[in-house]
Amino acid sequence: MAAKAAIASACVATFLLLLKAAAAWQTGSASMLGSLADTGLDLVASLVTLGGVRIAAAPADFDHRFGHGKAEAIAALFQVVLISVSAIGIAVHAARQLTGGAVTGDAEYGIGVSGVAIVTTFLLLAYQRRVIAATGSVAIATDNVHYKSDLLLNLAVIAALAIDQFAGVRGADAVFGIAIAVWLLFGAWSASSTAIDQLMDKEWPEEKRQRFLAVAAQHPELRGIHDLRTRTSGARDFVQFQVWVDRNLSIFEAHRIMDEVEAKLAISFPDVEILIHPEPEGHVGKAFRTATGAPREEIA
C-alpha cells in the first residue's frame, strides 16, 4: 500500500513538473520558479521514497534480523537535504530578482496552473492520509509534508502574481519567493525530526510507554516490570523488558506466563515485536546494573 502511494506521488510530481516548467518560462515569476523547483525535488524525493518503502517492506534476513524499516528514515532524510538545498536556491534567486527590479508577466496563465496544481495536490494528500493511517510509513508521512507545503506554496504563487501585476505592487513576487524558501526550510527541519528519532532509536512517547506498561502489568502473576526499552523502525515497533515472577515457578510455568502477557499486549499493540526476559522476583541482572544511566520503570 505504501509503495502504491509512492508511485502515485511520483506520477503527480511528474505532471506538475511539466505544467509548472511552462508556467515559470511564461511568467518569469520567482515564486513560480520556487514552486517548480519544489515540485522537481518532490519528484526526486518521491522516487527515493518509493525505493525506501520497497526496501523497508522486505522481510528480515540473516544480515538484518530486525528487518529493513530504517530504509524509510534514510529516504526521509535524503528528502530533507533536497528540500533544504532547493529552499536556499529559491531564496537566492528571489533576492536577486528583488534587488534587480525584474518584472513578471502573464499572471493569468500562472494563476491557472497553480489552481490545477492545488486540486491535484489535494487529491494526492487525501490518498496519502489513508495510507499513513493504515501503515504508519514515515517515508510517506515525510512525502505528505512536502505536498502539504505545496498547497500553501501554490496559494502563495497566486497571491504573489496577483499582487505584483494586478495591484501593481512591484517586488511582491520576490518577497513571496523568499517567504516560500523560509517555509520550505521550516518544513524540512520538522520532517527531519521523526527520521532522526528512528535512526537514533528514540524511545516511544511517554504516554504510549505508560499505556504499554499498564496493559503488561495486568497479568496477576507478574511481580514487577522493569527495564522497558522501546524503539520504532519504519512501520514496526520493537519492545523489550524484564519481568519478575515467583522464584519457585518452573521454566514451563514462567514461559506460559510470558506467552499470556504477549497475547494480551498483541490486542492493544498489534504488529509490535516483543521480547520479554523473566527473572526471579527481586533479581536485577548485571547487564542492567551497569547500563549507562538509562531510566528504569518498575511496577511492583
Side-chain angles (χ1 to χ4, degrees):
M1 191 173 186
K4 290 182 179 179
I7 292 173
S9 177
C11 291
V12 168
T14 301
F15 169 69
L16 294 180
L17 183 69
L18 296 174
L19 202 63
K20 291 180 181 180
W25 177 268
Q26 184 75 16
T27 64
S29 165
S31 55
M32 179 60 77
L33 181 63
S35 183
L36 170 64
D38 180 65
T39 300
L41 290 175
D42 281 345
L43 175 58
V44 176
S46 295
L47 295 175
V48 172
T49 298
L50 177 59
V53 166
R54 286 185 168 175
I55 294 173
D61 54 36
F62 184 80
D63 293 321
H64 305 88
R65 298 296 181 91
F66 292 97
H68 301 79
K70 288 187 177 181
E72 287 198 20
I74 295 171
L77 280 183
F78 183 77
Q79 294 178 53
V80 167
V81 172
L82 289 178
I83 295 172
S84 300
V85 171
S86 172
I88 293 171
I90 293 166
V92 170
H93 175 82
R96 288 175 177 172
Q97 185 183 43
L98 186 63
T99 56
V103 179
T104 61
D106 204 352
E108 294 86 352
Y109 183 73
I111 291 172
V113 166
S114 295
V116 173
I118 288 173
V119 174
T120 306
T121 302
F122 184 81
L123 293 174
L124 177 64
L125 286 172
Y127 177 55
Q128 285 182 329
R129 282 195 297 270
R130 292 200 302 270
V131 173
I132 294 168
T135 66
S137 170
V138 66
I140 299 300
T142 304
D143 212 32
N144 185 258
V145 171
H146 296 174
Y147 285 99
K148 282 180 180 177
S149 69
D150 279 358
L151 285 179
L152 294 177
L153 190 149
N154 285 302
L155 288 172
V157 171
I158 291 174
L161 289 171
I163 294 173
D164 191 90
Q165 292 189 38
F166 300 147
V169 181
R170 298 306 176 193
D173 176 68
V175 171
F176 270 83
I178 294 173
I180 288 170
V182 173
W183 171 261
L184 289 173
L185 284 173
F186 176 77
W189 173 261
S190 301
S192 68
S193 61
T194 300
I196 291 173
D197 286 346
Q198 287 201 13
L199 292 174
M200 295 296 293
D201 289 332
K202 184 177 180 179
E203 290 285 329
W204 287 356
E206 187 59 26
E207 182 273 335
K208 185 176 180 179
R209 287 167 55 83
Q210 292 303 321
R211 283 194 296 111
F212 186 90
L213 282 169
V215 174
Q218 291 175 2
H219 198 287
E221 295 182 83
L222 293 187
R223 304 295 176 85
I225 299 175
H226 60 103
D227 293 304
L228 173 68
R229 299 182 178 190
T230 63
R231 67 185 181 91
T232 300
S233 180
R236 289 190 61 80
D237 288 321
F238 297 85
V239 180
Q240 65 182 63
F241 59 96
Q242 297 193 31
V243 297
W244 283 319
V245 295
D246 187 337
R247 61 178 58 246
N248 296 315
L249 288 177
S250 66
I251 294 178
F252 178 83
E253 285 299 309
H255 188 272
R256 173 188 60 80
I257 294 172
M258 300 307 103
D259 284 345
E260 291 173 357
V261 171
E262 289 185 8
K264 183 72 173 179
L265 286 167
I267 297 174
S268 301
F269 296 87
D271 299 323
V272 176
E273 186 170 313
I274 300 171
L275 177 64
I276 308 175
H277 177 66
E279 291 185 324
E281 184 177 3
H283 175 76
V284 178
K286 179 180 179 181
F288 291 95
R289 287 202 306 270
T290 58
T292 58
R296 296 170 55 82
E297 292 80 7
E298 294 186 3
I299 299 178

